[in-house]
């Protein structure tokens, strides 16, 4: 058994995103030499609350909030350089020095302004039923260009200034004609403006750009451990999620190989993050959704509004089938169960333990979105608890009904719950097993 402080570790979402990954990554950071984003882009919104201060990170790994850790944006991330610069500026204005501790892969692709336009226009064009409800950050179109290859731009391309500029002029011209024609509009896309922005990005980000995979391998050779920070969630995975209502990247530990250039086989600790209920933002099937006042009550109690877009999140009971699906896919070694505090005060708490489709019982996710949307949840209910959990600091202090709920979840999803969130702050965290060796939960502050 490898000791906890020697294991390369991945934190990733088991749901449709927003599970509380930012908080878990932040807690783990001090034990690691680097924190690495390997998928997604500015569609992510990872919240970290420290002593009453709230940080929302979109492209930057949560590690940048810690002086000791290096923050790495891997080759599998699609980076909007303008969004990245404004995120850096915002953090630096709040006293967090970022640039010196940030490394960006020279293989990472650039999200260009026309990717964002295409994302928005494409969504507007389709029927309500077909609309994905994207974050409009240009994620899908950028990954599509990456796969198509001929019109894609990577950070390494910025180095050849004149070659980059002439190719950008050509692609911007083509895209403008295409978007104007397909969407019967006149898009605001000007090559000079795009090049001016890219030139700023080139100058400011140049010191950060490098071969990040080589850097990570060097760190590992030197005996440092690496923390991989997944974005989005397994139910939004491009291959394994509720397609087509998904994002465009590989969102779990399986994404580390392509997204960071490190074999997932070396990542022996895989911490799947999930809430003690379910949420989803954007369209798509949601098997245990509550469209009644119980759902509204969870939304208000959990402050369930999007970190990136501010949209209200859809809420429902815990879906043990979907969670077990994610646990199997990722071979999760640990579960971080967040927002247990949010369920205080409910007379009963529900768990979806199966689905029914056309009278038949189904215990995994069918591929087809139409089938997924017809799945009826098979529910079981447990007694709730009335106690406020936000000041609790150990598993032993949890009310008996909450403990029974956790035990039932563990038996259904097939992995141990070793971290429980009882509030947004770093200090509001309960730990079990060897995570206690790895995480130093701070004392609450009155800030
Ligand atoms: P991420 O995208 O997975 O990092 O999650 P988000 O930051 O988008 O959303 C999670 C929200 O829940 C944030 O506002 C966090 O501050 C908050 N949060 C995280 N863990 C807990 C918890 O255990 N209890 C409560 N009440 N809030 C939490
Ligand atoms: P974090 O990392 C919640 C959802 C969008 C939409 C779908 C596709 O904060 O958990 P995209 O813009 O990626 O093409 O949108 O995926 N989505 C997220 N939902 N949290 C996220 O990230 C998300 N990233 C994408 O709402 O339904
Ligand atoms: Mg989020």
């Amino acid at each position: 058994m490898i000791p906890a402080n020697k294991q390369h570790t991945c934190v990733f979402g088991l749901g449709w995103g927003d599970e509380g990954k930012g908080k878990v990554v932040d807690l783990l950071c001090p034990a690691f030499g680097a924190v690495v984003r390997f998928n997604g882009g500015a569609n992510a919104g990872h919240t970290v609350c420290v002593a009453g201060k709230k940080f929302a990170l979109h492209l930057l790994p949560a590690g940048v909030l810690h002086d000791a850790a290096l923050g790495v944006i891997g080759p599998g991330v699609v980076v909007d350089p303008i969004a990245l610069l404004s995120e850096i500026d915002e953090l630096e204005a709040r006293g967090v020095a970022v640039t010196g501790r940030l490394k960006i892969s020279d293989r990472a692709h650039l999200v260009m302004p026309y990717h964002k336009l295409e994302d928005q226009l494409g969504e507007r064009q389709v029927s309500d039923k077909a609309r994905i409800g994207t974050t409009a950050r240009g994620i899908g179109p950028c990954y599509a260009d990456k796969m198509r290859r001929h019109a894609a731009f990577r950070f390494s391309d910025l180095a050849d200034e004149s070659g980059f500029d002439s190719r950008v002029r050509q692609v911007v011209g083509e895209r403008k004609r295409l978007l104007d024609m397909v969407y019967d509009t006149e898009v605001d896309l000007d090559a000079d403006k795009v090049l001016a922005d890219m030139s700023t990005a080139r100058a400011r980000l140049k010191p950060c750009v490098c071969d990040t995979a080589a850097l990570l391998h060097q760190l590992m050779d030197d005996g440092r451990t690496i923390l991989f920070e997944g974005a989005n969630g397994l139910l939004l995975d491009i291959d394994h999620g509720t397609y087509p209502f998904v994002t465009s990247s590989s969102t779990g530990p399986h994404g580390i190989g392509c997204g960071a250039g490190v074999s997932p086989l070396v990542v022996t600790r895989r911490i799947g993050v999930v809430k003690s209920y379910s949420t989803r933002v954007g369209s798509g099937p949601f098997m245990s959704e509550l469209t009644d006042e119980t759902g509204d009550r969870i939304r208000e109690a959990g402050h369930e509004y999007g970190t990136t877009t501010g949209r209200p999140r859809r809420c429902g009971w815990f879906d043990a089938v979907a969670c077990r699906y994610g646990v199997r896919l990722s071979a999760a070694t640990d579960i971080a169960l967040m927002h247990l505090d949010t369920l205080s005060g409910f007379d009963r708490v529900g768990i979806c333990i199966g689905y029914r489709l056309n009278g038949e019982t189904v215990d995994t996710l069918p591929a087809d979105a139409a089938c997924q949307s017809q799945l009826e949840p098979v529910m079981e209910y447990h007694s709730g608890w009335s106690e406020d959990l936000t000041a609790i600091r150990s598993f032993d202090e949890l009310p008996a009904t909450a403990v029974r709920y956790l035990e039932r979840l563990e038996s259904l999803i097939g992995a141990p719950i070793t971290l429980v969130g009882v509030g947004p702050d770093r200090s509001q965290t309960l730990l079990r097993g060897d995570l206690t060796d790895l995480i130093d939960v701070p004392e609450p502050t009155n800030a």
Side-chain angles (χ1 to χ4, degrees):
M1 183 83 179
I2 312 170
N5 66 353
K6 295 281 176 224
Q7 298 200 50
H8 303 302
T9 299
C10 179
V11 171
F12 60 96
L14 281 163
W16 285 290
D18 302 330
E19 300 89 347
K21 300 175 291 295
K23 172 173 165 168
V24 178
V25 169
D26 172 66
L27 281 163
L28 284 160
C29 274
F32 292 86
V35 184
V36 187
R37 278 280 306 273
F38 57 89
N39 76 297
N43 53 353
H46 296 178
T47 313
V48 176
C49 298
V50 194
K53 281 199 207 156
K54 194 165 164 171
F55 298 90
L57 301 160
H58 300 285
L59 276 159
L60 292 169
V64 296
L65 297 179
H66 293 260
D67 292 342
L70 199 62
V72 175
I73 297 179
V77 179
V78 288
V79 183
D80 175 347
I82 304 311
L84 178 60
L85 286 175
S86 59
E87 198 175 329
I88 293 173
D89 289 344
E90 241 175 76
L91 275 189
E92 296 207 326
R94 294 177 72 184
V96 183
V98 177
T99 325
R101 288 183 298 107
L102 176 67
K103 295 292 168 199
I104 305 167
S105 170
D106 47 11
R107 289 169 169 81
H109 280 247
L110 296 169
V111 174
M112 305 293 274
Y114 48 80
H115 291 137
K116 289 186 275 186
L117 285 170
E118 191 186 333
D119 199 353
Q120 289 155 24
L121 291 165
E123 283 275 272
R124 233 179 276 162
Q125 180 93 336
V126 295
S127 68
D128 286 354
K129 224 175 118 203
R131 191 168 299 130
I132 295 168
T134 72
T135 57
R137 299 300 189 268
I139 306 297
C142 183
Y143 276 118
D145 268 345
K146 170 178 172 170
M147 294 303 173
R148 279 199 297 249
R149 293 154 295 163
H150 59 273
F153 295 98
R154 307 198 291 179
F155 270 89
S156 61
D157 296 324
L158 286 168
D160 167 17
E161 215 166 304
S162 67
F164 178 84
D165 287 9
S166 71
R167 215 154 67 79
V168 166
R169 278 194 193 283
Q170 188 195 337
V171 174
V172 165
E174 284 166 9
R175 287 304 156 93
K176 177 157 171 52
R177 286 197 295 281
L178 192 72
L179 292 176
D180 285 352
M181 191 176 71
V182 171
Y183 299 106
D184 192 18
T185 181
E186 179 89 23
V187 294
D188 180 13
L189 194 55
D190 171 50
D192 288 330
K193 165 88 173 77
V194 176
L195 285 174
D197 284 348
M198 291 299 148
S199 169
T200 307
R202 176 189 291 117
R204 288 193 55 195
L205 296 174
K206 192 175 177 189
C208 305
V209 178
C210 69
D211 179 346
T212 54
L215 176 77
L216 293 178
H217 287 287
Q218 187 59 55
L219 283 173
M220 294 192 291
D221 288 348
D222 294 344
R224 306 300 304 273
T225 47
I226 312 294
L227 179 60
F228 296 92
E229 176 178 349
N232 328 128
L234 278 179
L235 298 178
L236 290 170
D237 185 89
I238 183 69
D239 293 292
H240 306 287
T242 50
Y243 193 89
F245 300 98
V246 293
T247 189
S248 307
S249 66
S250 300
T251 54
H254 59 290
I256 294 172
C258 52
V262 173
S263 168
L265 296 180
V266 305
V267 183
T268 47
R269 189 117 201 194
R270 297 169 294 274
I271 304 176
V273 188
V274 64
K275 280 180 202 161
S276 50
Y277 49 91
S278 307
T279 62
R280 170 162 211 168
V281 58
S283 335
F286 184 167
M287 291 67 78
S288 59
E289 183 168 15
L290 291 162
T291 50
D292 57 6
E293 57 191 39
T294 307
D296 294 342
R297 199 172 144 195
I298 294 177
R299 183 177 309 106
E300 294 316 310
H303 307 290
E304 293 295 354
Y305 294 88
T307 311
T308 299
T309 57
R311 289 179 289 177
R313 296 177 183 145
R314 298 155 66 192
C315 297
W317 291 125
F318 189 92
D319 185 339
V321 185
C323 189
R324 185 176 58 220
Y325 174 79
V327 164
R328 285 179 174 164
L329 205 62
S330 57
T333 55
D334 299 70
I335 301 295
L337 188 84
M338 313 310 283
H339 275 267
L340 193 63
D341 54 302
T342 300
L343 291 186
S344 288
F346 285 84
D347 292 340
R348 60 176 201 170
V349 287
I351 307 176
C352 169
I353 56 165
Y355 307 136
R356 237 190 294 279
L357 181 66
N358 305 324
E360 306 263 323
T361 304
V362 182
D363 65 0
T364 189
L365 259 189
D368 185 58
C371 284
Q372 287 170 8
S373 66
Q374 284 164 29
L375 295 172
E376 288 167 31
V378 178
M379 298 298 302
E380 67 176 30
Y381 294 93
H382 296 258
S383 302
W385 54 92
S386 55
E387 294 87 338
D388 177 2
L389 308 185
T390 54
I392 283 182
R393 292 295 172 267
S394 85
F395 272 77
D396 303 340
E397 296 168 63
L398 285 171
T401 42
V403 173
R404 276 201 291 279
Y405 179 65
L406 297 189
E407 286 171 350
R408 180 63 179 147
L409 294 186
E410 281 183 324
S411 76
L412 288 166
I413 63 185
I417 297 170
T418 51
L419 185 155
V420 168
V422 290
D425 197 76
R426 273 179 185 165
S427 62
Q428 293 172 305
T429 310
L430 321 181
L431 299 174
R432 249 199 317 215
D434 64 354
L435 277 191
T436 50
D437 305 335
L438 207 59
I439 297 177
D440 194 12
V441 177
E443 291 297 315
T445 58
N446 299 318

